[in-house]
Amino acid sequence: MNNANPAVGLRTSVDEDGLNRSRHLTRIAEGAARAAGAPLLAAFRSEMTVDYKRDLHDVVTIHDRNAEALIRDFIFESEPNSAMLGEEGGQVGEGEIQWYVDPIDGTANFARGLAFWCVSIAAVEQGAVVAGVVYDPVADLLFSSDIRRSYLNGKVIASKSVSEESRATLITGYPVSRDFRLDGRVVALSRFGELVETFSTVRRPGSAALSIAHVAAGFVDAAAGFGVNAWDVAAATLILKNAGGRYQPLTLGKVPADSADYLCPGYLAYGAGADYPTLNRVAQAISDGRTARTPTP
Ligand code: IPD
Ligand code: CA
Ligand code: CA
C-alpha cells in the first residue's frame, strides 16, 4: 500500500515492531513463570524451613531462592540481552532489557500453606514496562500483558468495579508493623478502621502482585499498598492498565515525583469505574505524613 503520509507508515511499523517485541518478551515471562511454578506448587504445603530477613515479619525459604535462579536461567537463555533485578539475588547482567522478578510474592502465605501467592515477572525497555506476568500456580491463573492487552489464561480481561465505595471490596496489607513505625500505631489503626467502616468489605490477602491482578480481572474493586518494591508491582501495573484499570503511584516521600509508577513505594489500584474518596483521603494522609517526616537532603 502506498501511504501518502510517510510519518504514519513509519509509526505503524514502529508500533508493530514494538508489539511483536513485547509479545516475544511476554512469552518468555510466561514460560519462566510456569517453569518456576511447577516446583513451587510441588513444595507448597510441604515441610519447609523458614528463614527471616529484616525481621520476624519478613520470611524467605529455599524455594524463593531456587525459583529465582530458575527464572534467571530461563530469561538469560531465552533473551541474552537481559539484566535482571530479583528480590533474593539482586541485580545481575548488563543487557538492555531490564527484568524485575519476584519469585514468590506472598512468601508468608506460601511458607504457611495459605493459597494466595504468585510468581511476578516484568520486562522493562527504556524505562517502560513492556511485558508483565503474574502467575498463581495453585489456582493455575496466569495473568499477562503485552503493551496492548491483558489476558487471564489467554483470554482478554477487562477490569470493572462498583462506583460507590460503600459497596466495594478493597484489598490491602495496610497496616503492617512497619507502617506502625512509620505512621504511628494509633494513627495507622484509626486509618484502617476508617477503611473497614467505609467499604463493604476489606481483606488482607498478602500479595501485592496478585492483589493488583485481581483488580485487573474484575475480581475485586480496588487494592492499595504502602511499602512495595519494583519486583512486587512492575508486572501488575501493566496488567491493570491494559485491562482498563488505573494505577495511581504514591511516592510517599521516598522517590522523586517524576519516578516511573513501578518504582514508587505505594499505590492505589482501581478497576474501571472506581474512584473512592475515603481511600484517596487515607492514601493522601499517609503520603503527606511520610513526606513531611522525610529528611531533606
Ligand atoms: C510482600 C507482599 C505483601 C506486600 C509487601 C511485599 P513478599 O512481598 O507483596 O503483600 O504488602 O510489601 O514485600 O515478601 O511476600 O515477596
Ligand atoms: Ca514481594
Ligand atoms: Ca518475594
Side-chain angles (χ1 to χ4, degrees):
M1 191 181 77
N2 184 10
N3 199 319
N5 180 351
V8 172
L10 185 64
R11 172 137 28 89
T12 304
S13 85
V14 167
D15 287 349
E16 270 172 23
D17 284 354
L19 182 58
N20 287 337
R21 180 126 196 86
S22 155
R23 286 185 174 151
H24 164 68
L25 297 173
T26 306
R27 278 194 295 274
I28 293 173
E30 287 173 359
R34 284 199 187 278
L40 289 176
L41 189 57
F44 183 52
R45 293 177 179 158
S46 69
E47 283 288 317
M48 67 181 85
T49 306
V50 172
D51 294 324
Y52 299 91
K53 296 198 279 188
R54 282 170 305 184
D55 58 27
L56 290 176
H57 304 289
D58 193 8
V59 300
V60 67
T61 70
I62 185 69
H63 305 295
D64 297 70
R65 298 189 179 110
N66 289 347
E68 185 166 317
L70 188 155
I71 293 165
R72 186 185 59 229
D73 291 348
F74 192 105
I75 285 174
F76 281 86
E77 266 167 40
S78 311
E79 181 55 73
N81 186 21
S82 289
M84 183 184 121
L85 178 64
E87 177 172 15
E88 310 307 335
Q91 180 74 22
V92 288
E94 285 167 3
E96 288 164 332
I97 301 154
Q98 175 67 51
W99 299 81
Y100 290 93
V101 172
D102 193 342
I104 306 178
D105 188 48
T107 297
N109 289 347
F110 171 84
R112 187 61 190 89
L114 186 59
F116 198 87
W117 53 273
C118 64
V119 180
S120 174
I121 302 176
V124 168
E125 271 188 321
Q126 294 170 356
V129 185
V130 294
V133 165
V134 170
Y135 180 46
D136 168 352
V138 180
D140 193 24
L141 298 178
L142 192 137
F143 304 87
S144 65
S145 188
D146 54 38
I147 53 173
R148 187 171 285 177
R149 287 202 181 86
S150 294
Y151 305 85
L152 172 53
N153 291 345
K155 293 205 171 114
V156 172
I157 49 173
S159 66
K160 58 174 186 312
S161 298
V162 298
S163 54
E164 295 154 54
E165 58 186 6
S166 60
R167 294 179 191 276
T169 294
L170 165 70
I171 47 183
T172 182
Y174 188 85
V176 290
S177 65
R178 186 174 162 276
D179 299 313
F180 289 170
R181 289 196 295 278
L182 290 170
D183 302 339
R185 190 170 184 271
V186 171
V187 170
L189 284 174
S190 127
R191 286 173 182 154
F192 180 65
E194 203 178 346
L195 296 175
V196 168
E197 275 171 353
T198 303
F199 281 83
S200 170
T201 306
V202 175
R203 293 286 183 260
R204 293 160 54 84
S207 157
L210 199 51
S211 294
I212 300 165
H214 272 57
V215 179
F219 297 162
V220 291
D221 298 291
F226 301 92
V228 291
N229 292 288
W231 52 74
D232 298 312
V233 296
T237 60
L238 189 69
I239 295 168
L240 177 65
K241 288 177 199 171
N242 285 336
R246 183 160 59 88
Y247 189 86
Q248 188 181 322
L250 305 167
T251 58
L252 303 178
K254 271 188 85 177
V255 296
D258 59 356
S259 302
D261 294 2
Y262 60 92
L263 296 176
C264 292
Y267 71 87
L268 301 182
Y270 280 124
D275 190 18
Y276 302 142
T278 306
L279 181 59
N280 290 339
R281 187 159 38 73
V282 164
Q284 189 64 51
I286 294 169
S287 191
D288 289 349
R290 292 194 191 177
T291 305
R293 283 189 295 281
T294 303
T296 39

